[in-house]
């Protein structure tokens, strides 16, 4: 368990421990990010505006801002604890970064973005919290929001279909191996990291609010790849496919 009695940790230190914790659950996590950054570099001009959906504590948004000095990022999430950390981390980028409390389950979640040009939407290990119907609604809203040529990139676990028993078993065994190695090396578990974050000064009320907001939103069954591809096409994206895969972990690309 993490030591929650030590000196308060700055936002960047909490983000560093978040990255280590997430890497315990996601093999080759940095490779996912590298592919996403490559797509943005190859497809977009030097100055662009990206929307980070369900940004968490700012892992992906910070990487985009660091890699592209001409980029702006709007980072949105509905977890007040993670938003506080993201605000602290991304504040270092000044006006190039904006952090907003946004509930993707609400039908009007994209209304505050109307009129803004968004060249890319990115997300990492987050949209699996949405039900299939909610995912389709978010994808449909994105298709209406984005101009032609804009891209959507989603990095996430997209499980194999039930009939693909061997692929599923291989992925599960590999996940278990990666977690054993990472936790033995000192990485926090998911629960340990949140306990550490909640113990920071001023965070307890945010942790309570987090519990309240998500009390009636249990984790959803992970949708397979084919659902995401079909939903994106149905939503109105013109070109859909994958740009990276490692077992059941993917980066999906959709072009408006």
């Amino acid at each position: 368990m993490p030591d929650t009695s030590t000196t308060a940790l700055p936002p960047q230190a909490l983000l560093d421990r978040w990255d280590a914790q997430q890497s315990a659950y996601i093999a080759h996590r940095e490779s996912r990010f590298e592919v996403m950054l490559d797509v943005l570099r190859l497809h977009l001009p030097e100055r662009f505006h990206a929307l980070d959906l369900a940004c968490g504590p700012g892992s992906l948004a910070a990487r985009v801002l660091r890699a592209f000095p001409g980029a702006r990022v709007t980072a949105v999430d509905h977890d007040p604890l993670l938003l506080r950390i993201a605000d602290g981390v991304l504040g270092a980028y000044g006006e190039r970064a904006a952090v907003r409390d946004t509930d993707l389950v609400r039908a009007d979640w994209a209304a505050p973005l109307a009129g803004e040009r968004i060249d890319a939407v990115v997300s990492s290990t987050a949209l699996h919290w949405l039900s299939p119907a909610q995912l389709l609604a978010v994808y449909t809203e994105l298709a209406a929001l984005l101009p032609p040529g804009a891209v959507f990139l989603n990095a996430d676990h997209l499980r194999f279909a039930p009939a693909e028993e061997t692929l599923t078993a291989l992925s599960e065994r590999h996940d278990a191996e990666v977690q054993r190695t990472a936790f033995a090396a000192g990485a926090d578990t998911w629960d340990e990291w949140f306990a550490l974050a909640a113990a920071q000064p001023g965070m307890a009320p945010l942790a309570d609010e987090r519990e309240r907001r998500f009390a009636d939103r249990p984790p959803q069954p992970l949708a397979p790849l084919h659902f995401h591809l079909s939903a994106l096409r149905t939503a109105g994206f013109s070109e859909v496919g994958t740009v990276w895969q490692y077992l059941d972990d993917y980066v999906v690309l959709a072009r408006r």
Side-chain angles (χ1 to χ4, degrees):
M1 296 292 290
D3 181 2
T4 59
S5 64
T6 56
T7 304
L9 296 174
Q12 184 60 54
L14 289 170
L15 178 58
D16 291 343
R17 289 183 66 153
W18 168 272
D19 282 338
Q21 173 256 125
Q22 287 285 284
S23 294
Y25 297 101
I26 305 162
H28 308 295
R29 181 170 177 260
E30 289 303 322
S31 293
R32 295 196 325 183
F33 289 144
E34 288 172 9
V35 169
M36 298 173 83
L37 295 176
D38 279 344
V39 170
L40 298 179
R41 176 178 57 82
L42 294 167
H43 185 70
L44 298 177
E46 290 184 3
R47 306 182 72 85
F48 63 86
H49 181 199
L51 173 64
D52 185 358
L53 285 187
C55 66
S59 291
L60 180 51
R63 284 168 171 79
V64 173
L65 290 164
R66 191 162 57 242
F68 304 105
R72 292 192 300 119
V73 175
T74 298
V76 303
D77 206 295
H78 194 49
D79 186 319
L81 187 150
L82 297 181
L83 282 169
R84 173 68 63 83
I85 299 170
D87 193 52
V89 170
L90 302 181
Y93 295 93
E95 295 183 354
R96 293 176 55 212
V99 178
R100 298 181 181 177
D101 187 339
T102 301
D103 186 359
L104 296 178
V105 172
R106 289 178 57 95
D108 62 347
W109 70 267
L113 297 166
E116 291 193 45
R117 180 181 175 88
I118 297 173
D119 304 291
V121 178
V122 297
S123 190
S124 176
T125 326
L127 298 185
H128 60 257
W129 285 95
L130 301 178
S131 70
Q134 291 165 347
L135 269 172
L136 179 57
V138 167
Y139 288 164
T140 301
E141 195 68 30
L142 286 180
L145 183 67
L146 296 177
V151 292
F152 167 68
L153 291 164
N154 181 32
D156 211 342
H157 280 305
L158 305 178
R159 302 301 189 191
F160 293 111
E164 297 171 311
E165 296 178 358
T166 300
L167 293 170
T168 297
L170 289 170
S171 298
E172 290 175 350
R173 288 199 292 271
H174 187 263
D175 285 347
E177 286 182 353
V178 172
Q179 290 171 35
R180 282 196 301 271
T181 300
F183 297 147
D188 299 320
T189 66
W190 172 271
D191 290 337
E192 288 170 351
W193 186 90
F194 271 98
L196 174 68
Q200 301 302 305
M203 290 292 228
L206 298 178
D208 291 342
E209 175 63 12
R210 177 180 188 272
E211 290 295 323
R212 186 192 68 78
R213 289 187 178 189
F214 298 111
D216 62 347
R217 301 187 191 184
Q220 298 292 319
L222 295 175
L225 173 66
H226 68 80
F227 172 84
H228 287 265
L229 300 181
S230 297
L232 287 163
R233 292 189 187 98
T234 299
F237 286 87
S238 62
E239 187 176 353
V240 176
T242 60
V243 291
W244 186 87
Q245 178 189 357
Y246 191 90
L247 294 175
D248 60 358
D249 199 16
Y250 293 86
V251 177
V252 171
L253 179 147
R255 182 179 64 82
R256 183 67 180 94

